Amino acid sequence: MRVPLAFLLLAAGAAGCADTGVERSSDSSAARAVLRAVAKTEDAPSLRYRMTGRLPEDGRVRADGVVGTAPRVAAVKQSGLSGDNRGEFEMRLVDRVLYQRMGKQQVHGRHWAGFGPRARFLSGSGLKMDTSAIRDQTGRNPAREAAFLAAADDVRRVGGEKVAGTATTHYAGTATLDTVRAWLKDRGNGPGRGQTTLKMYQGMGVDELTIDVWVGSDDRVKQHRTRGFGRHGELDLTVVLRDFGKPVSVQAPPAGDTVDLSRPARKGRG
């Protein structure tokens, strides 16, 4: 199952790490403000978001998504806007079942593939499947990676700015992957929370992240941006979050246009 890199809503950066003389992020008021905003944003019962930017392997990309917790649903549609990855890619999570659509491509004559309610299973052809990472990324609140800013030694309050017409406070800083990894370990985060993102950055050849986070007066993350350079060029993604707590609806794709890969293949299907 090939998943476009940008779908994972990751960005990474490399920038100089000057000695600013500010206190360590774990003790700073700026870091505490960012962590408080991430926690409150992740607690939102629903939200919508848009990711735009550039990744070296996918070129220019855009993704629009929605996440809800009661009931737990999620959907994200990504568009490749340049290079060899032009086209659309979509994921949905409904009733614990993950669905995938790869543009006009078909699986056994159908546009959608379903992976059942379990993350790990044997496909109908006997192939071992593990959808844990993409299931987590589809259903997660996209504010999560903004917390990485709290790991930076130079995290600071930049000042007041407006995002989509809303007044916000801008925070910024830089952090190496090793610093973020150690920070996650110190906080007792398990291997599934944040580590998938770090592995993606590492695979891109990224050593250091440049992170900006904008927090609204409601103490929620309104926007975050991560920039820099990997082995294959520039990375620059911005995620804008909105519509906190508004009703959301995500429907499973039509059963007649979906092949369930978690069930044994029917003879003659194709």
Side-chain angles (χ1 to χ4, degrees), residues 151 175-184 198 202 206-208:
T176 66
L177 292 194
D178 288 342
T179 299
V180 176
R181 191 174 292 110
W183 177 80
L184 288 171
L198 293 183
Q202 189 172 14
V206 172
D207 297 320
E208 190 172 69

Side-chain angles (χ1 to χ4, degrees), residues 25 28-38 146-150 152 154-161 163 167-174 210-217 219-227:
S25 63
S28 73
S29 60
R32 291 194 297 271
V34 169
L35 290 177
R36 182 170 61 248
V38 171
F148 288 178
L149 176 56
D154 63 343
V155 60
R156 62 199 180 277
R157 182 183 185 276
V158 177
E161 297 178 14
V163 172
T168 69
T169 301
H170 180 189
Y171 299 91
T174 60
T210 300
I211 306 168
D212 293 82
V213 177
W214 289 262
V215 177
S217 59
D219 273 343
R220 285 195 170 116
V221 177
K222 301 298 184 182
Q223 178 174 284
H224 65 86
R225 182 184 186 187
T226 315
R227 295 165 291 157

